[in-house]
Structure formats: structure tokens, C-alpha cells
Amino acid sequence: MPGTASSFTDLARSRRSPRRFLATALSPSDIRGVLEDAQTAPSNSNTQPWTVHVVSGAARDALSKELLQAEEEGRTSPDFTDGYGEGLYLQRSQALGASVYRALGVERSDRDGRRAVVRRNLEFYGAPHAAFLFMPALGDGVRTAGDIGMYAQNFLLSLAARGLAGIPQTILGVYAGTVREFLGVPAELKLLFGISFGMADPAAPVNTLRTERVPLHSSVVVHDTPGVLGRP
């Protein structure tokens, strides 16, 4: 259909991950629509292995309080390991961190300021809603995690299509035990990450941050597919 590719390109390339939201709650119809769009994501053998918990209102506030307390006491409980190695992935992560702190006016030497920025994650950046994406233990988990990644991308693009916004936060998974206990989720379901969502605050300077992407030739190798990368 004419215009479809262009419309999707504009949507996908304009989507951003805001770090400050308005407190305004979304309508039930918008939230349901986003969840229905996310539900159409492909999955291995149509297993649809996601279990999603959405918190709002008093539940959201109470969970944030629990997360902040866990951070204060150093009670991390991740279901998965993390790390960026020592090469380019670490460099990219560090570059993003520096950009965020710079946008917030926090100096590298300001430990208290940097910690406050981290704790804002556990307040969902002020978003009125958060979704937690849990996965069952199937095999080594790689395919399941990939399926949930596709679900999350549908979720984020559906928000963007409605003029809304969301930010995926792996740090929420660092406190998986706290989240699971609060929500009454069985131990066999593992928390991959969460998504804070709502309406981005247009007045927040940090929301003007634009992260760069590496050029295609840095991550794509073509075979007998000439003219795609613009390189000989």
C-alpha cells in the first residue's frame, strides 16, 4: 500500500526512550490497544512465552518504594547475569551513560548525583505505568528472550504510534526477586526487564537526547547482495 513503508520508517526512526514522563495516566483503551499490538509479535513455534504484569496507581507507587528500599539496602536479586565485556559494547554503554549525565547536568565526579540518576530508574522516571516482562525457563532461554524482545518492540512501537512513549529498563531486572515477591509471580518465571511508559515530558531537557546508531557496515555482512551497503 503506498506510503506504508515510509510511515513505518518514520515511526521506527523517530521512536525515543524518554527519561522523564508526565504523571498523567493513560486511558484503559490505549493501554489495552498497546497490549493487543504487542500480543501479535512472532514467537518460536507460536509459543508466545511472555507473561506481562502492568502496574499503575497505588500498586506502581508501592512497588517503586520497595525497589528504592532494595537499592538502599543493596538487595539485588537478578535472574540473569549482565556485563558488556571490555570492547566496543562497553564503550557504547559508557558513551550513553556520559550523554545522559551530561543532559541532566550531573558531573562525572558527583557520586550522589549519579546515584540519584540511577534511582530515578526505580521511580520509573515518573511514568504512571510500568510493564514487567517475565519468561519461563525453556531450554537455555535464548530463543525465549528473543521472542520477548520482539514483543517489547511491538509494545514500544505501538506506544509511539499513539503519540506515547516507553523506555525498556534492564535495571528493573536487577531487582527481580523484589518485583516477583511484590507481584506474587511464581519463582519459575524469570524477569527479563521492565518498560516504563506514559507521555514523555516535552519540557525535560534529557528527553532531547538522541543516541546514535553505528553505520550498517559495522553490523551487517551481505553475501551476493550487491548495492545494499554502499561499499565495494
Side-chain angles (χ1 to χ4, degrees):
M1 196 159 72
T4 300
S6 176
S7 298
F8 177 78
T9 296
D10 292 342
L11 176 66
R13 297 186 186 186
S14 63
R15 192 205 66 77
R16 297 289 182 266
S17 294
R19 288 172 171 80
R20 185 160 297 171
F21 289 82
L22 299 177
T24 308
L26 303 185
S27 70
S29 62
D30 272 333
I31 296 174
R32 181 179 179 88
V34 169
L35 292 169
E36 289 176 336
D37 288 344
Q39 194 75 13
T40 68
S43 60
N44 184 43
S45 295
N46 197 35
T47 50
Q48 303 175 60
W50 41 78
T51 297
V52 182
H53 285 244
V54 177
V55 296
S56 310
R60 173 239 181 254
D61 297 344
L63 178 53
S64 176
K65 183 177 179 180
E66 292 289 331
L67 290 168
L68 291 167
Q69 186 65 32
E71 189 276 341
E72 183 72 27
E73 297 173 1
R75 288 188 288 107
T76 58
S77 50
D79 289 328
F80 304 98
T81 58
D82 62 5
Y84 303 105
E86 297 296 332
L88 61 89
Y89 305 115
L90 178 61
Q91 293 167 10
R92 292 172 186 171
S93 174
Q94 291 173 334
L96 172 63
S99 297
V100 171
Y101 290 128
R102 187 163 49 249
L104 292 168
V106 177
E107 297 293 334
R108 182 177 179 81
S109 59
D110 183 359
R111 291 187 178 182
D112 290 340
R114 289 164 68 90
R115 183 183 174 200
V117 172
V118 172
R119 282 171 65 84
R120 284 290 290 164
N121 279 276
L122 307 181
E123 298 171 335
F124 312 119
Y125 291 119
H129 313 284
F132 293 86
L133 281 61
F134 292 89
M135 55 181 280
L138 303 177
D140 62 7
V142 174
R143 287 185 173 84
T144 309
D147 292 342
I148 293 175
M150 289 186 279
Y151 177 99
Q153 181 71 339
N154 269 20
F155 191 106
L156 294 167
L157 290 176
S158 181
L159 286 168
R162 290 170 164 78
L164 306 172
I167 177 170
Q169 296 170 266
T170 53
I171 192 173
L172 297 176
V174 172
Y175 301 93
T178 298
V179 175
R180 197 162 31 241
E181 180 178 359
F182 181 88
L183 298 176
V185 175
E188 59 267 24
L189 291 179
K190 306 304 181 182
L191 178 58
L192 196 57
F193 57 89
I195 300 175
S196 295
F197 65 101
M199 291 187 285
D201 183 351
V206 71
N207 287 348
T208 65
L209 178 65
R210 298 291 180 264
T211 56
E212 296 183 358
R213 295 295 186 268
V214 300
L216 284 182
H217 66 259
S218 295
S219 56
V220 178
V221 178
V222 298
H223 301 267
D224 290 332
T225 316
V228 173
L229 300 183
R231 290 161 59 101

